[in-house]
Amino acid sequence: MHKFVISTSSFDTDNNPIVQRLIHAGLQLVTNPYGRRLTEDEAENLLREDVIGMIAGVEPLTERVIQSAKSLKVISRCGTGMDSVDLAAAKNKGVTVLNTPEAPAQAVAELTMGLILACLRQICKTDQQIRKGEWPRTQGSLLAAQTVGLIGLGHIGKRVAKLCRAFEANVIAHDPHIDQVPAGVKLVTMEHLFETADIISLHTPYSAELHHLLNAQAFARMKSGTLVINAARGGLIDEQALKIALDNGKLGAAALDAFEQEPYQGALFECDNLILSSHVGSLAKEARQRMELEAAENLLHGLVKNGLINDG
């Protein structure tokens, strides 16, 4: 019996009609047994035997994993980013790779706004102090008074820009892959963005060229008190350099929804001017339902196109 894998542990298989259709078509469903992001070895083991399709999370689908998956024909990413998939290896092996770029965009954009506002008004820190019996009178800052610098103006970045403009913030952006920008947004160089923005928010896919895009040199160029937000990919930030910048006051605060290693365990726990979130950007109920449905539809269409199941 052919199999299909759903590796994202939060996927609602019971209430997804396309998944049920695949099962009724005679495919055996294999789910993530670990309840977390798979390692490379775990992904390789899960895909090894008679798996023809996969609904993927952000586990590393490397050349080794793809080559070892002898029957694999379709990878359907449940999300936007494709950086976790070796696209060249997939192409060489004839594996179709699909994603759902629109479905999670609003959810990630709204989480980004929540993190920005939480940093500006020190909401999390104030909550912790009140629970300790204190009554802090913390003075925060208005988003309307800030210059927000967005690195990446794709599906998510454009939505963040629109939301920031609704708060009357000044918005600048860097994205070498686009020519047209939303109304009220100015394209600038990366250097200008680092030196000018009060808030820097990452919305770019990860690649080897962008590894540790925000490093010690980048933090040094930023204004004192800058806020850094990352609801994109963990590898974009040098976490050791981030801790130093938070500890010495170069950064006013930061908020992270993505880390180089997840679940995160590390020295950033010591920073009281840092908000941590467990890679939940897309986990808004409405967005998640749409994303899971689209991912399943992509898998179904890919398998039909490859002649592996009938469209009926």
Side-chain angles (χ1 to χ4, degrees):
M1 176 183 289
H2 288 314
K3 302 174 183 177
F4 71 105
V5 165
I6 298 180
S7 63
T8 173
S9 58
S10 58
F11 201 101
D12 184 0
T13 58
D14 293 336
N15 295 303
N16 189 302
I18 307 300
V19 168
Q20 297 306 311
R21 182 175 168 184
L22 289 168
I23 293 172
H24 292 318
L27 299 185
Q28 179 183 341
L29 170 61
V30 179
T31 57
N32 182 339
Y34 302 99
R36 54 164 171 76
R37 182 172 70 175
L38 299 173
T39 66
E40 185 178 6
D41 288 341
E42 290 164 350
E44 182 178 6
N45 290 332
L46 209 60
L47 293 172
R48 184 164 285 162
E49 294 185 13
D50 207 25
V51 172
I52 60 173
M54 176 187 196
I55 296 177
V58 292
E59 60 283 320
L61 299 179
T62 61
E63 181 178 13
R64 171 164 67 89
V65 172
I66 292 170
Q67 287 298 328
S68 68
K70 302 301 183 183
S71 303
L72 186 65
K73 292 299 180 184
V74 181
I75 296 171
S76 176
R77 267 283 289 119
C78 190
T80 301
M82 303 286 264
D83 49 274
S84 58
V85 184
D86 188 325
L87 296 176
K91 183 178 180 180
N92 290 338
K93 196 170 181 291
V95 177
T96 301
V97 183
L98 306 162
N99 67 342
T100 60
E102 280 287 349
Q106 186 67 22
V108 178
E110 289 189 12
L111 177 68
T112 298
M113 297 303 298
L115 295 175
I116 289 173
L117 293 170
C119 286
L120 285 172
R121 301 304 297 269
Q122 300 183 44
I123 295 171
C124 298
K125 187 175 182 179
T126 301
D127 171 80
Q128 293 167 2
Q129 290 174 315
I130 291 173
R131 293 174 189 274
K132 294 176 182 177
E134 303 172 24
W135 194 250
R137 305 294 292 160
T138 306
Q139 181 171 281
S141 297
L142 292 176
L143 177 51
Q146 311 305 310
T147 293
V148 179
L150 305 177
I151 299 178
L153 268 181
H155 296 283
I156 297 168
K158 287 177 181 177
R159 282 171 169 77
V160 174
K162 182 178 179 180
L163 292 170
C164 287
R165 291 292 296 148
F167 276 83
E168 301 181 3
N170 180 43
V171 180
I172 59 177
H174 176 78
D175 191 326
H177 304 293
I178 66 168
D179 297 318
Q180 295 184 331
V181 296
V185 179
K186 181 181 179 182
L187 277 181
V188 298
T189 65
M190 188 80 78
E191 292 74 17
H192 181 83
L193 188 146
F194 284 158
E195 295 168 0
T196 306
D198 303 298
I199 302 167
I200 295 176
S201 188
L202 297 173
H203 301 288
T204 183
Y206 175 83
S207 67
E209 293 76 19
L210 296 178
H211 179 68
H212 289 180
L213 172 66
L214 299 192
N215 53 24
Q217 291 75 28
F219 294 134
R221 299 190 72 134
M222 297 176 192
K223 299 193 297 187
S224 293
T226 298
L227 308 183
V228 169
I229 312 294
N230 184 16
R233 288 287 186 265
L236 297 171
I237 294 183
D238 181 338
E239 292 169 359
Q240 182 176 358
L242 175 66
K243 184 179 187 305
I244 293 171
L246 288 167
D247 287 343
N248 66 22
K250 178 62 177 180
L251 297 181
L256 305 180
D257 186 49
F259 305 85
E260 287 202 71
Q261 299 294 326
E262 297 178 359
Y264 177 76
Q265 295 289 328
L268 289 173
F269 287 155
E270 302 167 8
C271 301
D272 63 1
N273 53 348
L274 172 66
I275 297 172
L276 305 174
S277 181
S278 53
H279 209 143
V280 295
S282 67
L283 294 182
K285 178 178 68 175
E286 300 84 355
R288 188 70 192 183
Q289 288 171 343
R290 178 183 170 188
M291 185 166 64
E292 291 182 0
L293 184 61
E294 287 186 11
E297 288 174 341
N298 285 342
L299 177 59
L300 173 64
H301 295 155
L303 293 174
V304 170
K305 189 174 182 179
N306 279 273
L308 295 167
I309 61 174
N310 294 322
D311 187 12

